[in-house]
Amino acid sequence: MCGIVGYVGFRNATDVLLDGLRRLEYRGYDSAGIAVRTPEGLKVVKRSGKLSSLAEAVGKTPLQGALGIGHTRWATHGAPTDPNAHPHTTEDGRIALIHNGIFENYLELKEALQARGHRFRSETDTEVLAHLLEETYRGDLLEALREALKAVRGAYAVVVAHEDHEEIVAARTVSPLVVGLGEGENFLASDVPALLPYTRRVIFLHDGDVVRLTREGVEITDLEGRPVQREAVEVDWTLEAAEKGGFPHYMLKEIYEQPWVLENTLGGRLREEEGTVELGLALDPREVDRVHVIACGTAGYAGLYGKYLLETLARLPTEWDVASEYRYRDPVVDSRTLALAISQSGETIDTLEGLREAKRKGARSLGVINAKGSTLTREVEDVLYIHAGPEIGVASTKAYTAMLAAMALLAVWFGRARGALAPEEAQRLLREMRRLPRLVEEVLEKRPLVAHVAEKYHQAQDFLFLGRHVQAPTAYEGALKLKEISYIHAEAYPAGEMKHGPIALIDEHLPVVVLATKGPLYEKTLSNIQEVRARGGKVIAIATEGDEEIPRLAQDVIYVPEVHPLLAPIVSVVPLQLLAYEIAVLLGRDVDQPRNLAKSVTVE
Ligand code: M6R
């Protein structure tokens, strides 16, 4: 994901910026750039590729100055080229800015700015802010930023410098931003590791904070200009702890990243007013008659959710297989079959071989992928990136929710193109999708309750997970998370299938996690809960906020916010991730690197 560093003080800004960006390299990026306030004005150097290319370019023309901003970019809007790299500047080059996140309404803003005579030099969403600043700047940079931000919608951490001012100004909403406090110098960064060599006194900015940094001090206001007090804290993190954002494990950090990951996956792609999505795919949806989902593990369950959505919303026949089966079952494929390969790493050999098999038989192909530049990205015709950022915990969490969101986008895209999804229903779904980052944030607040449930059941030998329709994949994923990191045996079934066998397992020692959110099959799920209770099983229900029936039937209830039933898996899987995490911690397991598992499985 993108990295941000800002500096104002007495040191050589170039050194501080390059050093800070290096410390953020672990986040992943594909281009980098800096802007430094020199005696000759603001100078920008930016390069696609690794920081070494930027450092080499800067080495050739050193920039003298003690104020600057630096950025590593993980491409979302526009390829990783030099012009798309940050910083972006106003047309006169006097203001430079860097940005993490996505301006969702950038297309309409860009068109309006172009109509007013602005000329764009990149394909990024970020550049609109530079042009807006050109219009709003009247001598006060902070005021100009506040006014410009009123026009944009979306997630952002932005940092701005002007050649006439010995200050940097910044703001955040959703994307993180931290102030580092020094003596005669101050810093900004997207993550603490960039600050550690210089200071451990930091202020974590909140949503809606706008900040002015000078050598002498830091002034924080809200978007209306009202002063805001934020506490400075002393971080005692090691570099490794800082890379985990202060969380004890990468997995937990990644679970907590899900709100802004969803913002990244969905943000710029939803067009609620028109009831459509903008995926930028070259593939023509009308050339596809059926889909074959090819994926493994967690990505496989995301694909199974995709099958439900593609069939429900787009009436597009969809087959689903784990990739290791798909490639050997001699699937029936023709030129109107779309092989949909889903993968976090883009390197999973079973998925790659499954895709190759489908292509050999004449299929078209599309990848839903996280890792840019991975083998899979090169072998599919087209890619829908999920933009989850690097996932380090072996147990996949944020990539899963991002894949689910990508599946929902694809289903709406196909549904609209095939005339199977009415514009009004698409609008309703897209409005609900827009709420998802906030809803997941609400679910994360349930962690103490989940920890309590974990405490109660962590000695169990087995768990059963049940769910119906779109919540069946959630049950599979919940069971997979638990077994992967706690080593407790866990099985998952579609709830209606329980009576055909697994019911024999139920006794007072078996915790049964039931996905019982509101939807067309809610009543049937309640009956399944009754069946478990009648046999003494312990029910942990994941239910919709406000459901008063459930506490009468389940021993433990974890509520999730109400959302369109087809999107409920995206909020419901979060407590299951937390449950697996809390149980694994209680059992003293190696959460980030569980035994026998690898992050990327490149052997058959
Ligand atoms: O990188 P991929 O998404 O292709 O990986 C697929 C599976 O190997 C992966 O999801 C695996 O199941 C994880 N350990 C799940 O937590």
PDB file of all heavy atoms in Angstrom, residues 456-481:
ATOM      1  N   LYS A 456     -14.522 -18.832  26.699  1.00  0.00           N
ATOM      2  CA  LYS A 456     -15.484 -19.868  27.099  1.00  0.00           C
ATOM      3  C   LYS A 456     -15.250 -21.205  26.379  1.00  0.00           C
ATOM      4  O   LYS A 456     -15.436 -22.266  26.940  1.00  0.00           O
ATOM      5  CB  LYS A 456     -16.882 -19.352  26.721  1.00  0.00           C
ATOM      6  CG  LYS A 456     -17.919 -19.469  27.800  1.00  0.00           C
ATOM      7  CD  LYS A 456     -19.118 -18.630  27.432  1.00  0.00           C
ATOM      8  CE  LYS A 456     -20.388 -19.431  27.534  1.00  0.00           C
ATOM      9  NZ  LYS A 456     -21.562 -18.625  27.203  1.00  0.00           N
ATOM     10  N   TYR A 457     -14.845 -21.119  25.104  1.00  0.00           N
ATOM     11  CA  TYR A 457     -14.838 -22.343  24.288  1.00  0.00           C
ATOM     12  C   TYR A 457     -13.451 -22.796  23.831  1.00  0.00           C
ATOM     13  O   TYR A 457     -13.357 -23.741  23.053  1.00  0.00           O
ATOM     14  CB  TYR A 457     -15.726 -22.137  23.046  1.00  0.00           C
ATOM     15  CG  TYR A 457     -17.185 -21.909  23.387  1.00  0.00           C
ATOM     16  CD1 TYR A 457     -17.758 -20.648  23.289  1.00  0.00           C
ATOM     17  CD2 TYR A 457     -17.978 -22.965  23.831  1.00  0.00           C
ATOM     18  CE1 TYR A 457     -19.091 -20.436  23.611  1.00  0.00           C
ATOM     19  CE2 TYR A 457     -19.313 -22.764  24.150  1.00  0.00           C
ATOM     20  CZ  TYR A 457     -19.867 -21.499  24.044  1.00  0.00           C
ATOM     21  OH  TYR A 457     -21.190 -21.303  24.362  1.00  0.00           O
ATOM     22  N   HIS A 458     -12.378 -22.137  24.287  1.00  0.00           N
ATOM     23  CA  HIS A 458     -11.092 -22.439  23.654  1.00  0.00           C
ATOM     24  C   HIS A 458     -10.544 -23.826  23.977  1.00  0.00           C
ATOM     25  O   HIS A 458      -9.631 -24.296  23.338  1.00  0.00           O
ATOM     26  CB  HIS A 458     -10.053 -21.349  23.977  1.00  0.00           C
ATOM     27  CG  HIS A 458      -9.535 -21.380  25.378  1.00  0.00           C
ATOM     28  ND1 HIS A 458     -10.236 -20.863  26.437  1.00  0.00           N
ATOM     29  CD2 HIS A 458      -8.374 -21.854  25.890  1.00  0.00           C
ATOM     30  CE1 HIS A 458      -9.540 -21.017  27.541  1.00  0.00           C
ATOM     31  NE2 HIS A 458      -8.406 -21.618  27.238  1.00  0.00           N
ATOM     32  N   GLN A 459     -11.164 -24.497  24.968  1.00  0.00           N
ATOM     33  CA  GLN A 459     -10.693 -25.857  25.290  1.00  0.00           C
ATOM     34  C   GLN A 459     -11.428 -26.923  24.480  1.00  0.00           C
ATOM     35  O   GLN A 459     -11.108 -28.108  24.587  1.00  0.00           O
ATOM     36  CB  GLN A 459     -10.900 -26.147  26.791  1.00  0.00           C
ATOM     37  CG  GLN A 459     -10.192 -25.183  27.718  1.00  0.00           C
ATOM     38  CD  GLN A 459      -8.672 -25.374  27.720  1.00  0.00           C
ATOM     39  OE1 GLN A 459      -8.137 -26.167  26.946  1.00  0.00           O
ATOM     40  NE2 GLN A 459      -7.984 -24.631  28.565  1.00  0.00           N
ATOM     41  N   ALA A 460     -12.395 -26.506  23.668  1.00  0.00           N
ATOM     42  CA  ALA A 460     -13.164 -27.503  22.902  1.00  0.00           C
ATOM     43  C   ALA A 460     -12.247 -28.267  21.948  1.00  0.00           C
ATOM     44  O   ALA A 460     -11.265 -27.721  21.444  1.00  0.00           O
ATOM     45  CB  ALA A 460     -14.272 -26.801  22.119  1.00  0.00           C
ATOM     46  N   GLN A 461     -12.606 -29.522  21.704  1.00  0.00           N
ATOM     47  CA  GLN A 461     -11.794 -30.357  20.796  1.00  0.00           C
ATOM     48  C   GLN A 461     -12.214 -30.159  19.339  1.00  0.00           C
ATOM     49  O   GLN A 461     -11.420 -30.341  18.431  1.00  0.00           O
ATOM     50  CB  GLN A 461     -11.983 -31.848  21.133  1.00  0.00           C
ATOM     51  CG  GLN A 461     -11.573 -32.227  22.541  1.00  0.00           C
ATOM     52  CD  GLN A 461     -10.076 -32.077  22.726  1.00  0.00           C
ATOM     53  OE1 GLN A 461      -9.307 -32.643  21.969  1.00  0.00           O
ATOM     54  NE2 GLN A 461      -9.668 -31.273  23.690  1.00  0.00           N
ATOM     55  N   ASP A 462     -13.480 -29.835  19.150  1.00  0.00           N
ATOM     56  CA  ASP A 462     -14.030 -29.702  17.789  1.00  0.00           C
ATOM     57  C   ASP A 462     -15.013 -28.532  17.758  1.00  0.00           C
ATOM     58  O   ASP A 462     -15.607 -28.194  18.783  1.00  0.00           O
ATOM     59  CB  ASP A 462     -14.835 -30.949  17.400  1.00  0.00           C
ATOM     60  CG  ASP A 462     -14.069 -32.221  17.622  1.00  0.00           C
ATOM     61  OD1 ASP A 462     -13.290 -32.588  16.747  1.00  0.00           O
ATOM     62  OD2 ASP A 462     -14.246 -32.834  18.705  1.00  0.00           O
ATOM     63  N   PHE A 463     -15.182 -27.975  16.597  1.00  0.00           N
ATOM     64  CA  PHE A 463     -16.201 -26.941  16.355  1.00  0.00           C
ATOM     65  C   PHE A 463     -16.958 -27.325  15.092  1.00  0.00           C
ATOM     66  O   PHE A 463     -16.388 -27.915  14.163  1.00  0.00           O
ATOM     67  CB  PHE A 463     -15.545 -25.578  16.084  1.00  0.00           C
ATOM     68  CG  PHE A 463     -15.297 -24.728  17.305  1.00  0.00           C
ATOM     69  CD1 PHE A 463     -14.296 -25.043  18.194  1.00  0.00           C
ATOM     70  CD2 PHE A 463     -16.053 -23.576  17.525  1.00  0.00           C
ATOM     71  CE1 PHE A 463     -14.040 -24.245  19.300  1.00  0.00           C
ATOM     72  CE2 PHE A 463     -15.810 -22.767  18.620  1.00  0.00           C
ATOM     73  CZ  PHE A 463     -14.793 -23.099  19.515  1.00  0.00           C
ATOM     74  N   LEU A 464     -18.228 -26.938  15.043  1.00  0.00           N
ATOM     75  CA  LEU A 464     -18.989 -27.080  13.803  1.00  0.00           C
ATOM     76  C   LEU A 464     -19.466 -25.688  13.393  1.00  0.00           C
ATOM     77  O   LEU A 464     -19.894 -24.901  14.252  1.00  0.00           O
ATOM     78  CB  LEU A 464     -20.197 -28.005  14.056  1.00  0.00           C
ATOM     79  CG  LEU A 464     -21.084 -28.330  12.854  1.00  0.00           C
ATOM     80  CD1 LEU A 464     -20.305 -29.057  11.756  1.00  0.00           C
ATOM     81  CD2 LEU A 464     -22.271 -29.214  13.299  1.00  0.00           C
ATOM     82  N   PHE A 465     -19.358 -25.374  12.113  1.00  0.00           N
ATOM     83  CA  PHE A 465     -19.822 -24.079  11.590  1.00  0.00           C
ATOM     84  C   PHE A 465     -20.938 -24.352  10.587  1.00  0.00           C
ATOM     85  O   PHE A 465     -20.796 -25.205   9.712  1.00  0.00           O
ATOM     86  CB  PHE A 465     -18.682 -23.334  10.876  1.00  0.00           C
ATOM     87  CG  PHE A 465     -17.646 -22.753  11.798  1.00  0.00           C
ATOM     88  CD1 PHE A 465     -16.753 -23.571  12.472  1.00  0.00           C
ATOM     89  CD2 PHE A 465     -17.554 -21.379  11.977  1.00  0.00           C
ATOM     90  CE1 PHE A 465     -15.790 -23.040  13.317  1.00  0.00           C
ATOM     91  CE2 PHE A 465     -16.594 -20.827  12.817  1.00  0.00           C
ATOM     92  CZ  PHE A 465     -15.708 -21.670  13.494  1.00  0.00           C
ATOM     93  N   LEU A 466     -22.032 -23.604  10.710  1.00  0.00           N
ATOM     94  CA  LEU A 466     -23.174 -23.799   9.819  1.00  0.00           C
ATOM     95  C   LEU A 466     -23.624 -22.468   9.212  1.00  0.00           C
ATOM     96  O   LEU A 466     -23.620 -21.441   9.899  1.00  0.00           O
ATOM     97  CB  LEU A 466     -24.364 -24.376  10.593  1.00  0.00           C
ATOM     98  CG  LEU A 466     -24.165 -25.721  11.297  1.00  0.00           C
ATOM     99  CD1 LEU A 466     -25.387 -26.045  12.154  1.00  0.00           C
ATOM    100  CD2 LEU A 466     -23.909 -26.832  10.288  1.00  0.00           C
ATOM    101  N   GLY A 467     -24.018 -22.518   7.944  1.00  0.00           N
ATOM    102  CA  GLY A 467     -24.573 -21.328   7.292  1.00  0.00           C
ATOM    103  C   GLY A 467     -25.298 -21.755   6.034  1.00  0.00           C
ATOM    104  O   GLY A 467     -25.018 -22.831   5.488  1.00  0.00           O
ATOM    105  N   ARG A 468     -26.225 -20.933   5.592  1.00  0.00           N
ATOM    106  CA  ARG A 468     -26.988 -21.263   4.380  1.00  0.00           C
ATOM    107  C   ARG A 468     -26.747 -20.229   3.295  1.00  0.00           C
ATOM    108  O   ARG A 468     -26.452 -19.079   3.592  1.00  0.00           O
ATOM    109  CB  ARG A 468     -28.482 -21.270   4.685  1.00  0.00           C
ATOM    110  CG  ARG A 468     -28.961 -22.505   5.391  1.00  0.00           C
ATOM    111  CD  ARG A 468     -30.401 -22.325   5.805  1.00  0.00           C
ATOM    112  NE  ARG A 468     -30.917 -23.552   6.386  1.00  0.00           N
ATOM    113  CZ  ARG A 468     -31.569 -24.493   5.699  1.00  0.00           C
ATOM    114  NH1 ARG A 468     -31.805 -24.339   4.411  1.00  0.00           N
ATOM    115  NH2 ARG A 468     -32.006 -25.576   6.300  1.00  0.00           N
ATOM    116  N   HIS A 469     -26.930 -20.679   2.033  1.00  0.00           N
ATOM    117  CA  HIS A 469     -26.845 -19.787   0.872  1.00  0.00           C
ATOM    118  C   HIS A 469     -25.539 -19.000   0.929  1.00  0.00           C
ATOM    119  O   HIS A 469     -24.475 -19.615   1.118  1.00  0.00           O
ATOM    120  CB  HIS A 469     -28.095 -18.871   0.844  1.00  0.00           C
ATOM    121  CG  HIS A 469     -28.278 -18.188  -0.477  1.00  0.00           C
ATOM    122  ND1 HIS A 469     -28.109 -16.836  -0.626  1.00  0.00           N
ATOM    123  CD2 HIS A 469     -28.587 -18.654  -1.689  1.00  0.00           C
ATOM    124  CE1 HIS A 469     -28.324 -16.498  -1.891  1.00  0.00           C
ATOM    125  NE2 HIS A 469     -28.621 -17.584  -2.557  1.00  0.00           N
ATOM    126  N   VAL A 470     -25.550 -17.657   0.831  1.00  0.00           N
ATOM    127  CA  VAL A 470     -24.270 -16.925   0.808  1.00  0.00           C
ATOM    128  C   VAL A 470     -23.490 -17.064   2.108  1.00  0.00           C
ATOM    129  O   VAL A 470     -22.293 -16.776   2.153  1.00  0.00           O
ATOM    130  CB  VAL A 470     -24.451 -15.409   0.502  1.00  0.00           C
ATOM    131  CG1 VAL A 470     -24.745 -15.193  -0.962  1.00  0.00           C
ATOM    132  CG2 VAL A 470     -25.509 -14.779   1.389  1.00  0.00           C
ATOM    133  N   GLN A 471     -24.157 -17.500   3.168  1.00  0.00           N
ATOM    134  CA  GLN A 471     -23.438 -17.667   4.439  1.00  0.00           C
ATOM    135  C   GLN A 471     -22.809 -19.058   4.563  1.00  0.00           C
ATOM    136  O   GLN A 471     -22.079 -19.305   5.528  1.00  0.00           O
ATOM    137  CB  GLN A 471     -24.371 -17.405   5.629  1.00  0.00           C
ATOM    138  CG  GLN A 471     -24.846 -15.960   5.754  1.00  0.00           C
ATOM    139  CD  GLN A 471     -23.753 -15.008   6.250  1.00  0.00           C
ATOM    140  OE1 GLN A 471     -22.572 -15.161   5.923  1.00  0.00           O
ATOM    141  NE2 GLN A 471     -24.123 -14.012   7.034  1.00  0.00           N
ATOM    142  N   ALA A 472     -23.046 -19.946   3.598  1.00  0.00           N
ATOM    143  CA  ALA A 472     -22.350 -21.244   3.638  1.00  0.00           C
ATOM    144  C   ALA A 472     -20.836 -21.017   3.456  1.00  0.00           C
ATOM    145  O   ALA A 472     -20.030 -21.536   4.242  1.00  0.00           O
ATOM    146  CB  ALA A 472     -22.916 -22.200   2.592  1.00  0.00           C
ATOM    147  N   PRO A 473     -20.412 -20.219   2.445  1.00  0.00           N
ATOM    148  CA  PRO A 473     -18.959 -19.949   2.339  1.00  0.00           C
ATOM    149  C   PRO A 473     -18.398 -19.289   3.597  1.00  0.00           C
ATOM    150  O   PRO A 473     -17.249 -19.542   3.966  1.00  0.00           O
ATOM    151  CB  PRO A 473     -18.843 -18.994   1.145  1.00  0.00           C
ATOM    152  CG  PRO A 473     -20.106 -19.146   0.373  1.00  0.00           C
ATOM    153  CD  PRO A 473     -21.159 -19.627   1.309  1.00  0.00           C
ATOM    154  N   THR A 474     -19.215 -18.467   4.271  1.00  0.00           N
ATOM    155  CA  THR A 474     -18.722 -17.836   5.510  1.00  0.00           C
ATOM    156  C   THR A 474     -18.441 -18.909   6.558  1.00  0.00           C
ATOM    157  O   THR A 474     -17.451 -18.839   7.299  1.00  0.00           O
ATOM    158  CB  THR A 474     -19.752 -16.828   6.068  1.00  0.00           C
ATOM    159  OG1 THR A 474     -20.309 -16.089   4.985  1.00  0.00           O
ATOM    160  CG2 THR A 474     -19.127 -15.894   7.081  1.00  0.00           C
ATOM    161  N   ALA A 475     -19.329 -19.904   6.611  1.00  0.00           N
ATOM    162  CA  ALA A 475     -19.119 -21.004   7.567  1.00  0.00           C
ATOM    163  C   ALA A 475     -17.822 -21.746   7.220  1.00  0.00           C
ATOM    164  O   ALA A 475     -17.000 -22.037   8.104  1.00  0.00           O
ATOM    165  CB  ALA A 475     -20.313 -21.950   7.523  1.00  0.00           C
ATOM    166  N   TYR A 476     -17.608 -22.025   5.933  1.00  0.00           N
ATOM    167  CA  TYR A 476     -16.374 -22.724   5.533  1.00  0.00           C
ATOM    168  C   TYR A 476     -15.149 -21.907   5.920  1.00  0.00           C
ATOM    169  O   TYR A 476     -14.157 -22.424   6.413  1.00  0.00           O
ATOM    170  CB  TYR A 476     -16.338 -22.964   4.016  1.00  0.00           C
ATOM    171  CG  TYR A 476     -17.442 -23.845   3.497  1.00  0.00           C
ATOM    172  CD1 TYR A 476     -18.009 -23.623   2.250  1.00  0.00           C
ATOM    173  CD2 TYR A 476     -17.933 -24.920   4.251  1.00  0.00           C
ATOM    174  CE1 TYR A 476     -19.027 -24.430   1.757  1.00  0.00           C
ATOM    175  CE2 TYR A 476     -18.955 -25.735   3.762  1.00  0.00           C
ATOM    176  CZ  TYR A 476     -19.492 -25.478   2.525  1.00  0.00           C
ATOM    177  OH  TYR A 476     -20.499 -26.265   2.040  1.00  0.00           O
ATOM    178  N   GLU A 477     -15.224 -20.620   5.663  1.00  0.00           N
ATOM    179  CA  GLU A 477     -14.061 -19.758   5.934  1.00  0.00           C
ATOM    180  C   GLU A 477     -13.813 -19.651   7.448  1.00  0.00           C
ATOM    181  O   GLU A 477     -12.675 -19.673   7.895  1.00  0.00           O
ATOM    182  CB  GLU A 477     -14.280 -18.375   5.303  1.00  0.00           C
ATOM    183  CG  GLU A 477     -13.230 -17.324   5.611  1.00  0.00           C
ATOM    184  CD  GLU A 477     -11.804 -17.698   5.184  1.00  0.00           C
ATOM    185  OE1 GLU A 477     -11.614 -18.712   4.486  1.00  0.00           O
ATOM    186  OE2 GLU A 477     -10.865 -16.982   5.589  1.00  0.00           O
ATOM    187  N   GLY A 478     -14.903 -19.567   8.222  1.00  0.00           N
ATOM    188  CA  GLY A 478     -14.755 -19.504   9.687  1.00  0.00           C
ATOM    189  C   GLY A 478     -14.072 -20.751  10.213  1.00  0.00           C
ATOM    190  O   GLY A 478     -13.174 -20.681  11.068  1.00  0.00           O
ATOM    191  N   ALA A 479     -14.473 -21.910   9.690  1.00  0.00           N
ATOM    192  CA  ALA A 479     -13.872 -23.176  10.140  1.00  0.00           C
ATOM    193  C   ALA A 479     -12.405 -23.251   9.706  1.00  0.00           C
ATOM    194  O   ALA A 479     -11.541 -23.692  10.467  1.00  0.00           O
ATOM    195  CB  ALA A 479     -14.658 -24.345   9.567  1.00  0.00           C
ATOM    196  N   LEU A 480     -12.140 -22.808   8.479  1.00  0.00           N
ATOM    197  CA  LEU A 480     -10.750 -22.850   7.988  1.00  0.00           C
ATOM    198  C   LEU A 480      -9.852 -21.969   8.854  1.00  0.00           C
ATOM    199  O   LEU A 480      -8.755 -22.387   9.259  1.00  0.00           O
ATOM    200  CB  LEU A 480     -10.693 -22.385   6.527  1.00  0.00           C
ATOM    201  CG  LEU A 480      -9.298 -22.355   5.902  1.00  0.00           C
ATOM    202  CD1 LEU A 480      -8.738 -23.763   5.748  1.00  0.00           C
ATOM    203  CD2 LEU A 480      -9.293 -21.656   4.548  1.00  0.00           C
ATOM    204  N   LYS A 481     -10.335 -20.745   9.182  1.00  0.00           N
ATOM    205  CA  LYS A 481      -9.509 -19.838   9.996  1.00  0.00           C
ATOM    206  C   LYS A 481      -9.192 -20.498  11.327  1.00  0.00           C
ATOM    207  O   LYS A 481      -8.059 -20.471  11.793  1.00  0.00           O
ATOM    208  CB  LYS A 481     -10.230 -18.512  10.270  1.00  0.00           C
ATOM    209  CG  LYS A 481     -10.253 -17.501   9.160  1.00  0.00           C
ATOM    210  CD  LYS A 481      -8.939 -16.863   8.811  1.00  0.00           C
ATOM    211  CE  LYS A 481      -8.155 -17.652   7.815  1.00  0.00           C
ATOM    212  NZ  LYS A 481      -8.497 -17.579   6.430  1.00  0.00           N
TER     213      LYS A 481
END
